[in-house]
Structure formats: structure tokens, C-alpha cells
Amino acid sequence: MHVYVCAAVRCVLAGALLSFIAAIVVGGQSGSIEIQRTRDDKAPVFLNKVASATGDRSLEWIDPSSSHIDRVPVPKDVELFLPRLSPWVDARGRRQLIAAWTDRRAPSSRGGGIGWARYEYPTGRLLDRSEPSELSTTIRSVPSWVPGTAAVVHFVGSDGRLHRIGFDESGDRQSRVDWAIEPPLGPWRFEGDTNWMQDARGRSILLVGLSRRVADDGPEIAPAKLWWLEFDEEFRSIVAAGPLLADEMGPEHRAMRSSSPSVHVTSTGVPLLSYQRRSDVDPWEVRIAELNFDASGRPVLGSEGRIVTKTMIQESASFLDEGRRLVTTQGNLGYVRKAVQVDLAAEQRTLASTKRP
């Protein structure tokens, strides 16, 4: 019976994705934005774009409950990548999808440049999008929807800065995130994907990879480290910041880069952190560690955690099946990629058995 139910769920999700892609092929028109929304964190999880040497392109989605992975085609004229679904639904049960896009018909190596596009999911109706020529920077990370039900995302741009888009706002909706405090690292830049979590005080904080320039006027960038950021109420400026792992700031870890954090809170209330770490010559280590909280309620890492897999792709992993599995992207630095699932429960049992005398 369980097999038939899972198959039915997969068919429904696959049908929704196919309807979404079909609607993009037809082409939707911008419309009014639904404001009444309900928080729902059980959205299908997308991986980065997948493109083969033959030019076939598709987006992969993952059912977070069953860990089933499927692939649907993307229209040949429009390439979507770095997608993420909203953690809420509107009054009709529909989500919104934000992604980077480029026109494959434009005569250049990356089409006509990279902009952002926002769709209604699963109908595929185009809500709005930016033309690449309108942007001062391009999207370099998977956008993060802010906590709550606001239609606001942050992303790391090609300029190394954190940017904000407020879709429900009039006027210039895209802006650069400012520091309301003195940046703790002096000249700085962001690296990799970002993800939200709640600290022990119940406040939402953004986990990021943050690096600094070795000299104020020099081009050399020190390896990124994991930091937490706290924002004002409108998520426009950073009001507090701190490192997740204090030891990582020491000279013995100077050559190590850490980025692309992702958090899952277990049924017992323990926050698990997945992140990537590497030196300049090694592949990325995908690590898992438990997060603790200091006296102020801010998150801290007590250790570097354990390595669960390695990859050449700098991209945040996703927790599935109530934190029992982790899905990562494997492949080379080109377009050949595949999703790999890690059974964290089995990996933990194996680790425990090796420690027995």
C-alpha cells in the first residue's frame, strides 16, 4: 500500500512540474500578486541546473518526504537555474518560484546575460522578471526567501555583495544589503549559498560564507568562513554578525574555505548544520555538525563536524526525510552533474560501530 501511495504522490508532483514547464513554454503574462499567504515548508527541493554535452537541459526536484528525485525538461529558448520555491503558499495553494534566467537564443556564450524571473508554481504563470541589462550584478547563489510569508529574497551577486529583492514593493525593488554596524572583517565579500535558521531566542538569522580582503586596496581575498547575520525588520540591513566557529579564524585554519551552509532542526530540537569546507587544492568536504547556542542565544559550532561525502561542486546540500538523508550535487566543474543521497542514519551507525573497543 505504501508503494502505491508514494507512486501516486510522485505522479502528482511530476504532473505539477510538467504543467509548470508547459506553461513556461507557452509564456505567461505578469499579473496581480497574491498577498494572503500561509507558511508551508514542505516544498519540493530543486537542485542547480543540469546540462549535458548534447545541450539537453532539465531541472531536478526532490520530494523532501520520500527523497524521490525526478527530472523535468526546461524550454530550449529559456534556461532557468539556481531555482528555489517559496516556503509559503497563497490562498489558492500555489507557491512562487524565483530563479536566474538567460535567453538561449541570444548570440553569446551565456545567452543575453543573466537576470531573475519569478513564476507562479505549479501553473508556470510568469509574474515578472528582470532583463539582464537592468541589473548591476548577476545572481551567483540560490536565492533565499526571507522568514515569514513576505515575497522577499536575498542572493549573493557577482560583485560579492548581498542583494535584496522585494517583489511586493513599488519602485526600485532590488537593492544592495547594507551594514548598520561596522563590518567585522573590514573589506568583505560573500561567497556561496545562504540559508536561514532560528537562534535560541527565536530570532531569524542568515548563515553565510563571508571573506575579507587581505589588504584594503588589494585584490587578494582571504578564504571564506561561516558567519551568522541578523537583520532589521525589513531585511534591508545587517544589525549584528558573528562567526559560527571561532577556531576557524585562527592561523591554523587560514587556508581553509567554508561556505554553503544549510540547517535542519531534528524532532528532538537539535539543529544540524551541513556545510562545505576545502583548501585551495582539495575537493569540497560536505560536513555535518550539531549547532549549539552561546549565552546570548546565537549559534556556535563546537567542532568542525564529520565528513559525509566530497564534491567538486560548491553548492549547499538539502536535508530530506526529516533529516535522515542529505542530498548533494556531484560532478565536475562543467555542466555534468548528478544528485547523490547520503543516508545519515546509516552513516552514523557505521561511525558508532567503528568506535566500539
Side-chain angles (χ1 to χ4, degrees):
M1 181 64 179
H2 176 71
V3 173
Y4 294 112
V5 171
C6 289
V9 171
R10 289 198 296 268
C11 287
V12 171
L13 287 172
L17 263 294
L18 289 172
S19 298
F20 170 74
I21 295 300
I24 295 177
V25 174
V26 173
Q29 297 296 322
S30 299
S32 60
I33 300 174
E34 183 68 55
I35 300 300
Q36 183 181 351
R37 301 173 181 132
T38 304
R39 186 77 182 185
D40 181 359
D41 293 315
K42 299 297 183 182
V45 178
F46 285 93
L47 294 178
N48 201 349
K49 66 166 186 173
V50 177
S52 69
T54 61
D56 296 331
R57 284 173 167 77
S58 62
L59 291 178
E60 290 182 323
W61 60 264
I62 308 156
D63 179 351
S65 299
S66 67
S67 300
H68 173 73
I69 297 177
D70 209 341
R71 181 178 295 176
V72 291
V74 170
K76 63 180 181 179
D77 292 338
V78 176
E79 182 177 328
L80 297 179
F81 50 103
L82 300 174
R84 180 166 284 179
L85 285 168
S86 64
W88 42 259
V89 296
D90 63 20
R92 296 166 294 177
R94 297 170 181 174
R95 298 183 186 272
Q96 291 182 9
L97 183 145
I98 175 70
W101 80 280
T102 188
D103 187 346
R104 300 298 302 175
R105 296 169 296 183
S108 69
S109 59
R110 286 306 306 266
I114 301 173
W116 55 258
R118 184 171 60 122
Y119 295 91
E120 187 179 70
Y121 173 89
T123 66
R125 182 168 66 95
L126 178 64
L127 297 174
D128 48 13
R129 72 183 184 188
S130 70
E131 295 300 326
S133 58
E134 299 173 359
L135 304 181
S136 60
T137 186
T138 56
I139 299 176
R140 287 293 179 88
S141 72
V142 177
S144 292
W145 295 89
V146 301
T149 58
V152 176
V153 298
H154 288 133
F155 68 88
V156 176
S158 55
D159 57 0
R161 303 299 180 96
L162 193 64
H163 294 260
R164 176 189 184 277
I165 308 174
F167 294 110
D168 291 342
E169 300 161 6
S170 59
D172 189 3
R173 295 179 296 175
Q174 182 171 329
S175 61
R176 196 170 69 186
V177 172
D178 296 320
W179 290 83
I181 59 173
E182 188 69 23
L185 297 180
W188 49 270
R189 55 185 295 124
F190 291 88
E191 178 180 319
D193 294 339
T194 65
N195 276 290
W196 291 91
M197 68 168 290
Q198 281 194 334
D199 64 13
R201 305 163 301 163
R203 297 184 182 181
S204 297
I205 54 177
L206 187 66
L207 302 185
V208 303
L210 191 61
S211 63
R212 62 178 177 83
R213 293 192 183 276
V214 176
D216 288 356
D217 57 352
E220 187 178 355
I221 303 295
K225 309 297 182 184
L226 294 180
W227 283 68
W228 57 263
L229 306 177
E230 189 175 330
F231 287 74
D232 64 353
E233 292 184 357
E234 294 186 345
F235 304 101
R236 294 181 182 275
S237 60
I238 301 164
V239 299
L244 276 185
L245 186 60
D247 290 345
E248 209 179 24
M249 306 304 292
E252 66 273 20
H253 298 292
R254 189 167 294 160
M256 300 299 295
R257 297 170 62 194
S258 300
S259 71
S260 302
S262 179
V263 175
H264 171 78
V265 180
T266 68
S267 58
T268 58
V270 177
L272 289 180
L273 173 73
S274 166
Y275 71 101
Q276 292 185 312
R277 197 163 191 245
R278 64 169 291 184
S279 68
D280 289 339
V281 296
D282 297 325
W284 288 101
E285 300 169 348
V286 180
R287 290 177 173 262
I288 296 291
E290 289 188 6
L291 277 173
N292 301 312
F293 299 98
D294 62 18
S296 68
R298 270 65 178 262
V300 293
L301 269 178
S303 71
E304 300 170 1
R306 67 185 191 273
I307 302 171
V308 296
T309 188
K310 295 183 179 181
T311 179
M312 295 299 295
I313 307 299
Q314 184 183 21
E315 194 170 287
S316 60
S318 297
F319 287 94
L320 305 172
D321 195 17
E322 301 301 327
R324 289 184 285 269
R325 295 178 182 273
L326 190 76
V327 63
T328 67
T329 303
Q330 302 282 355
N332 57 32
L333 298 179
Y335 292 130
V336 179
R337 301 176 180 219
K338 64 177 181 179
V340 174
Q341 294 188 53
V342 179
D343 188 335
L344 296 180
E347 191 269 344
Q348 183 63 47
R349 288 194 296 269
T350 302
L351 183 65
S353 66
T354 61
K355 292 183 177 180
R356 295 193 184 109

